[in-house]
Amino acid sequence: MTNEEIKIKITEILPAATFDETGEWLNVFVEASAFRSFMEQIRSDKDLDLDYMFCLTCVDWKTHLTMVYHLSSTNTRHCVVVKVKLDRDKPEIETVCDIWRTAELHEREVFEMFGVNFLHHPDLRLLILPDDFIGYPLRKDFEDPINMIKL
Amino acid sequence: MFEEIGTTAEGDLLINVGPQHPATHGVLHLVLTLNGEIIKKVEPHLGYIHRSIEKMCESLSYRQFIYVTSRMDYLSAHINNHACALVVEKGLQVEVPLRAQYIRVIMDELTRIASHELWWSAMSMDLGAFTPYFLAFREREKINEIMEETCGARLTMNYMVPGGVMAEPHPDFQKKVKAFVADFKKTLHEYDELITGNIIFQNRMKGVGYLSPEDAISYGCTGPVARASGVKSDIRKIAPYDVYDKVEFDEIIETGGDCFTRYQVRIKEMSQSIRIIEQLIDNIPDGDFQAKTKAVLKLPKGEFYQRVETARGELGVYIVSEGAAQPYRIKFRSPGFSNLSALDHMVRGYKIGDFIAIMGTLDLVIPDIDR
Amino acid sequence: MFSLEGLTNFIHEWLNGHLPATFALLAEFVLVGVAAIGLFAVLGLGLVWMERKVAAVIQIRLGPNRIGPKGIFQTSADTVKLIMKESLTPANADKFLFNLAPFVVIIVAMLILVPIAFAKAFQIWDINIGVLYVTAVSSLSVIGILMAGWSSGNKYSLLGAMRSGAQIVSYELSAGLSIITIIVLTGSLKISDIVASQENGWWIFKAHIPAIIAFVIFIIAATAETNRAPFDLAEAESELTAGFHTEYGGMKFALFFLSEYINIFIVCAIGATLFLGGWMPFHVGHWAAFNHIMDYIPSSIWFFGKTIFLIFVIMWFRWTFPRLRVDQLLNLEWKYLLPISMFNVLLMTLVAIMGWHF
């Protein structure tokens, strides 16, 4: 599918979605409130067929956080990037780990590194960091006086 | 007595496999819930070798951060470097000289063979056969020598730079690679004779750890793990980079989905890598080994993503740039992390011995998972 | 012709000539004890060295080669290291059983040495139930292993011990049955009778296919009983780190290690005695001249030669095969080896009754 076709399709599913085509792939911006049903629909849509999530991450923009989901289809190989802006003080988003099961570990990683709270995640605990760790290491304002590399 | 030994409320035995355990090949920590010998659940606890490479890279320049990535999946160090070099080139829109592209691809494939050999030996060792280790290391040593001569290092090569490769390959490079290829074709059948045909080995592997294609996709499995389940996932075919679109090779797709199929896929991939090297090694064009780039690289504002096929699967490098000399945010999508997430699904209901076999065929490299 | 029989007779007569009968007997006990412990040490060191060299040859490398010529003192150096090491007892171990277990295992290994005929008329005690004694006593070693696994307070040890228990108890059956196939022919459990019955040829050649089947089953069962790869599930280093002896260190570990090698020696010695004629030289029927020439080779060399050949075979297994899974291990015994050996005993009985053997 070309980007234009994907755009038409996605607009049908969620008219409020906005697009950004500057990157390699089509970027879709979605509101956090509509996020969960949107993801369910693009996964089950026969034409889009986005069955493979190859990357899930978060970017700290200092004013807000952005969740970035890289999705692809294993049949037609088109890729879509879904982005969701989150409030930096109280980041909350619905989980997608029952849609793409790879998201389970990735969401846990984002949870501890950025402090994003994934609602309805079955097992949201610290995965990498020690249990008594305080802070969100990959946020821009994280300071570790001992281990930080500053050049 | 059982309170002391540690059980769950249902009376199942909890066992820590790792962080120090012979079969995890590193500091992976898995908590097994056992009912006798049967595994009910596996829960990974990561972070024992987490260096937060992503955070480190945020304060390193685009030339420097590549060297950190050798320490991620240290068995595919070349391919990690290659991914980083490609994503920076994508941002700068640098045309890489053909000579550099050829050398890069040859190095990638040599790394892949070396990595698969190490996997083969380590997996056989997990299954209780010790001799394969030495057979595989005999060949791997030759690759390491080639790497050492050209790159100056045996494991973390750091040979790829944005715009090409760091230096001309060693004058003996072509000769040695050709000698290796000839040798390797002669010895590859020994691997099959020693292990593949063994009845004990086949009984241990066949029908164990089945992963369906739907699950493989859903869990984000890539590389030989996905290909053994019949999922086309070779980035070299899906989105060819450098000269992969100019060489002929087969993407090994099998549909068995069990441990034995994963084993076979990797063994067959080694001969495909040999095929790629054979097509390239005689035709390395003359020219520069590196494109001219500025001393300080600055990627334009935007997002760049590069996918490459490492020995373990799809490695993705996601760079968010703000136009500075350092990346604003880097995310490495490592194949091991996603493949690990399928482990729990695969081992449930199997025995401890099967768990070791499944772990072996997943080919996990712990620094790749932890980053 | 050199014979150990003369030596033992000489010592016996000399002691009886110079000491009262009771003291002479006591002195002989001490001598035998010292000799047995000496044999233990030599076997332990020798077999470990041999294992490492065999492994090295199979794995295209050199093996130990620094200490002594061809590295033969490597194992002695290792022993010194092990003696020097501190023996730790884990905090939540059952201290008494934990410390007792290695001794149980090693004492059992030592006890089985009793009826083995090392050379012509060179035997500690030619007990009339020799083979039965060996099978009975060797099954005691599982108690030591269970003790070690349970008392360590470690889950890996426990799993290893449980596996080992299941394994040894199962494989005892087919080992016993394959021994019985030869007993059917000899009609005696006494080791010296069994060896003597092979004067005109070894049983493996004389008793046709049933003996060969029994021999193969015996070797498999012996490998399993001694917990050697491919049946080393009790230790299974990649699964259970070290199985039942995970928590042991220093000399206590060395005792387990030593008893493993002694057990291999013993099962191979029994195999050699039953199937390959023990110390009996290679004789062929009525070829008197040929048999006479064979007699020139000392009987002890025949015995140790055969035993070490069998040990080599078992080592060869270890460095070639991957490990079985626990259910496959039990399947192999209960679904294949046991029915085959039961049938084989029947067949052998028929052979013995009809007198079809040579």
Side-chain angles (χ1 to χ4, degrees):
Chain A
M1 278 175 109
T2 61
N3 280 358
E4 286 307 312
E5 285 166 348
I6 299 171
K7 262 164 99 172
I8 294 163
K9 201 80 202 168
I10 285 177
T11 321
E12 275 173 28
I13 293 168
L14 187 75
T18 51
F19 300 97
D20 172 16
E21 282 183 86
T22 52
E24 188 180 356
W25 298 310
L26 180 72
N27 289 317
V28 184
F29 292 92
V30 182
E31 286 297 315
S33 54
F35 170 73
R36 170 75 198 191
S37 62
F38 172 73
M39 289 305 244
E40 268 169 19
Q41 282 176 59
I42 57 169
R43 169 68 182 88
S44 53
D45 189 281
K46 286 279 178 304
D47 294 326
L48 284 169
D49 192 28
L50 296 165
D51 53 356
Y52 172 41
M53 171 179 281
F54 59 92
C55 191
L56 186 162
T57 189
C58 184
V59 182
D60 180 12
W61 290 105
K62 288 176 185 156
T63 52
H64 61 273
L65 298 175
T66 308
M67 286 298 299
V68 185
Y69 299 84
H70 285 79
L71 302 169
S72 175
S73 162
T74 48
N75 295 319
T76 48
R77 298 293 171 201
H78 57 254
C79 300
V80 174
V81 186
V82 178
K83 291 185 175 173
V84 186
K85 273 189 188 176
L86 297 180
D87 181 12
R88 199 163 182 276
D89 299 323
K90 194 168 175 287
E92 272 184 348
I93 190 165
E94 286 283 335
T95 179
V96 288
C97 72
D98 47 339
I99 309 175
W100 296 274
R101 274 178 284 184
T102 182
E104 186 171 340
L105 284 189
H106 280 98
E107 283 181 354
R108 278 177 73 178
E109 195 188 3
V110 170
F111 163 69
E112 61 191 337
M113 294 298 179
F114 290 93
V116 178
N117 186 19
F118 290 92
L119 302 170
H120 305 112
H121 188 285
D123 190 21
L124 201 63
R125 290 177 294 125
L126 292 184
L127 174 70
I128 292 166
L129 298 170
D131 289 341
D132 52 356
F133 195 89
I134 298 164
Y136 305 113
L138 280 182
R139 285 200 185 182
K140 287 288 174 187
D141 55 1
F142 179 78
E143 288 291 338
D144 184 341
I146 302 161
N147 294 320
M148 284 291 274
I149 297 180
K150 281 273 186 241
L151 291 172
Chain B
M1 190 85 193
F2 264 108
E3 286 83 3
E4 290 169 33
I5 287 177
T7 51
T8 60
E10 295 89 45
D12 297 323
L13 201 62
L14 284 173
I15 268 203
N16 287 306
V17 175
Q20 301 289 328
H21 189 277
T24 55
H25 304 295
V27 285
L28 180 63
H29 181 191
L30 300 164
V31 179
L32 264 61
T33 310
L34 293 176
N35 179 10
E37 285 259 348
I38 313 278
I39 295 171
K40 290 177 103 176
K41 197 178 154 200
V42 173
E43 200 182 297
H45 287 234
L46 306 178
Y48 290 89
I49 196 167
H50 196 275
R51 295 139 295 175
S52 205
I53 285 181
E54 290 169 12
K55 185 85 176 173
M56 256 195 254
C57 291
E58 285 175 15
S59 55
L60 296 174
S61 77
Y62 287 111
R63 284 196 192 281
Q64 290 168 324
F65 90 98
I66 294 179
Y67 307 123
V68 185
T69 59
S70 296
R71 278 82 183 165
M72 261 166 30
D73 178 357
Y74 52 82
L75 294 177
S76 313
H78 253 310
I79 310 179
N80 294 347
N81 295 163
H82 196 170
C84 298
L86 282 170
V87 72
V88 175
E89 284 152 16
K90 195 183 254 178
L92 295 172
Q93 294 180 329
V94 173
E95 188 64 33
V96 180
L98 207 55
R99 182 177 174 79
Q101 293 188 17
Y102 270 64
I103 295 168
R104 280 178 173 188
V105 170
I106 291 169
M107 285 299 195
D108 276 8
E109 293 309 315
L110 284 175
T111 311
R112 196 181 314 278
I113 294 172
S115 170
H116 281 349
E117 269 171 356
L118 192 104
W119 154 80
W120 184 74
S121 53
M123 187 215 60
S124 311
M125 189 114 129
D126 287 351
L127 293 179
F130 293 85
T131 307
Y133 214 91
F134 296 89
L135 274 185
F137 267 58
R138 182 183 57 185
E139 259 72 55
R140 189 170 178 268
E141 185 62 26
K142 289 175 195 157
I143 298 182
N144 278 350
E145 269 171 28
I146 295 169
M147 297 290 183
E148 192 180 2
E149 278 183 350
T150 296
C151 322
R154 291 162 64 88
L155 200 64
T156 51
M157 292 84 167
N158 302 331
Y159 185 54
M160 314 270 182
V161 292
V165 293
M166 191 175 265
E168 274 289 321
H170 192 270
D172 284 345
F173 178 70
Q174 267 173 312
K175 198 178 84 193
K176 287 223 168 165
V177 172
K178 272 191 256 179
F180 165 75
V181 167
D183 271 357
F184 191 69
K185 280 168 123 179
K186 278 189 210 131
T187 51
L188 192 59
H189 71 96
E190 285 181 9
Y191 294 26
D192 284 344
E193 280 162 21
L194 185 63
I195 287 289
T196 317
N198 188 309
I199 183 82
I200 300 176
F201 177 78
Q202 295 202 353
N203 278 331
R204 285 286 304 269
M205 301 293 264
K206 279 188 177 162
V208 170
Y210 177 73
L211 187 68
S212 69
E214 294 77 30
D215 286 333
I217 296 169
S218 180
Y219 278 109
C221 293
T222 47
V225 179
R227 288 198 280 280
S229 296
V231 180
K232 285 183 184 165
S233 64
D234 197 333
I235 306 298
R236 294 175 294 174
K237 289 276 187 197
I238 296 168
Y241 46 95
D242 279 359
V243 285
Y244 275 117
D245 48 354
K246 291 183 188 153
V247 288
E248 267 181 39
F249 68 100
D250 298 329
E251 182 182 358
I252 310 289
I253 303 278
E254 302 271 344
T255 48
D258 60 353
C259 285
F260 192 68
T261 323
R262 289 194 277 278
Y263 171 86
Q264 278 181 316
V265 166
R266 288 206 177 86
I267 293 283
K268 286 180 187 164
E269 270 188 12
M270 285 203 262
S271 38
Q272 292 302 325
S273 293
I274 286 289
R275 214 174 130 192
I276 295 174
I277 294 171
E278 275 184 326
Q279 289 172 45
L280 296 178
I281 189 69
D282 281 325
N283 308 320
I284 301 177
D286 292 333
D288 291 337
F289 58 86
Q290 206 184 87
K292 290 234 174 343
T293 45
K294 284 182 193 154
V296 177
L297 303 177
K298 279 185 183 171
L299 259 63
K301 197 166 160 33
E303 291 175 7
F304 307 96
Y305 196 101
Q306 177 65 42
R307 309 157 81 184
V308 297
E309 181 76 12
T310 75
R312 257 146 286 277
E314 174 184 339
L315 172 75
V317 183
Y318 174 57
I319 291 190
V320 180
S321 171
E322 281 286 83
Q326 290 95 19
Y328 184 77
R329 162 105 175 98
I330 282 197
K331 158 81 184 171
F332 296 104
R333 182 257 185 236
S334 63
F337 192 70
S338 300
N339 288 355
L340 175 75
S341 66
L343 181 67
D344 181 41
H345 174 73
M346 284 156 85
V347 299
R348 283 194 187 196
Y350 288 106
K351 299 191 175 57
I352 301 177
D354 296 325
F355 163 70
I356 302 296
I358 294 167
M359 282 263 294
T361 51
L362 278 183
D363 192 14
L364 301 173
V365 169
I366 316 307
D368 180 41
I369 296 170
D370 269 353
R371 301 188 298 289
Chain C
M1 192 168 37
F2 171 76
S3 163
L4 290 170
E5 197 179 356
L7 184 71
T8 49
N9 283 340
F10 171 74
I11 293 171
H12 182 70
E13 278 160 23
W14 189 86
L15 282 170
N16 276 306
H18 289 77
L19 292 169
T22 320
F23 287 107
L25 189 64
L26 279 177
E28 279 173 9
F29 279 169
V30 171
L31 276 179
V32 167
V34 170
I37 291 171
L39 182 73
F40 250 58
V42 172
L43 275 179
L45 297 180
L47 289 179
V48 174
W49 177 80
M50 177 182 159
E51 167 109 54
R52 295 179 65 173
K53 277 292 185 192
V54 169
V57 170
I58 292 174
Q59 298 174 342
I60 13 170
R61 57 192 175 91
L62 288 175
N65 57 4
R66 290 302 167 95
I67 305 173
K70 303 262 176 204
I72 49 171
F73 297 126
Q74 178 66 50
T75 45
S76 319
D78 286 347
T79 315
V80 172
K81 181 204 75 173
L82 284 167
I83 293 171
M84 304 281 277
K85 268 188 165 177
E86 185 188 359
S87 299
L88 280 173
T89 308
N92 59 349
D94 185 332
K95 303 231 169 15
F96 176 68
L97 289 182
F98 184 82
N99 290 319
L100 185 64
F103 293 100
V104 171
V105 172
I106 199 92
I107 287 169
V108 167
M110 241 173 186
L111 282 176
I112 321 175
L113 221 53
V114 168
I116 288 174
F118 293 99
K120 197 176 180 183
F122 191 79
Q123 205 169 351
I124 296 175
W125 182 18
D126 193 8
I127 183 173
N128 62 356
I129 49 159
V131 177
L132 179 64
Y133 174 86
V134 171
T135 46
V137 174
S138 67
S139 48
L140 286 178
S141 68
V142 70
I143 295 177
I145 289 174
L146 283 175
M147 231 186 227
W150 178 256
S151 64
S152 297
N154 179 318
K155 286 173 254 184
Y156 287 121
S157 303
L158 184 65
L159 279 170
M162 291 303 147
R163 281 179 174 189
S164 180
Q167 178 181 342
I168 294 182
V169 168
S170 319
Y171 277 82
E172 205 95 292
L173 288 167
S174 49
L177 281 172
S178 52
I179 287 173
I180 286 174
T181 45
I182 298 301
I183 302 301
V184 166
L185 291 166
T186 61
S188 169
L189 292 166
K190 201 170 178 179
I191 299 272
S192 57
D193 286 353
I194 293 170
V195 176
S197 69
Q198 306 184 58
E199 180 141 28
N200 57 348
W202 302 344
W203 280 124
I204 193 161
F205 301 124
K206 284 204 298 180
H208 309 298
I209 294 161
I212 294 170
I213 296 174
F215 180 67
V216 171
I217 290 177
F218 181 81
I219 288 291
I220 295 173
T223 318
E225 263 199 81
T226 47
N227 282 333
R228 294 275 300 178
F231 306 102
D232 62 341
L233 286 132
E235 290 155 39
E237 89 149 34
S238 55
E239 295 165 30
L240 304 177
T241 57
F244 64 89
H245 58 60
T246 306
E247 295 290 351
Y248 285 89
M251 207 53 208
K252 277 186 245 166
F253 163 72
L255 289 182
F256 278 117
F257 200 59
L258 187 61
S259 72
E260 180 186 327
Y261 283 92
I262 301 296
N263 279 330
I264 298 164
F265 176 80
I266 286 163
V267 292
C268 290
I270 298 291
T273 307
L274 289 169
F275 297 96
L276 304 176
W279 53 261
M280 190 60 78
F282 184 64
H283 285 175
V284 182
H286 302 295
W287 299 8
F290 176 80
N291 293 350
H292 191 65
I293 291 167
M294 283 297 172
D295 285 341
Y296 274 102
I297 301 171
S299 56
S300 51
I301 291 192
W302 279 106
F303 173 77
F304 281 102
K306 290 167 193 175
T307 309
I308 285 173
F309 169 72
L310 290 184
I311 294 173
F312 170 75
V313 171
I314 285 184
M315 286 179 179
W316 193 358
F317 287 165
R318 171 164 182 187
W319 299 109
T320 315
F321 291 138
R323 186 183 300 121
L324 273 81
R325 206 170 58 213
V326 66
D327 57 324
Q328 291 168 345
L329 177 93
L330 297 177
N331 273 349
L332 176 69
E333 164 63 19
W334 294 98
K335 290 190 182 162
Y336 299 97
L337 294 186
L338 189 62
I340 291 172
S341 38
M342 282 160 94
F343 177 73
N344 196 36
V345 172
L346 261 171
L347 201 66
M348 189 57 113
T349 320
L350 190 69
V351 169
I353 292 170
M354 303 301 282
W356 286 340
H357 59 87
F358 294 109

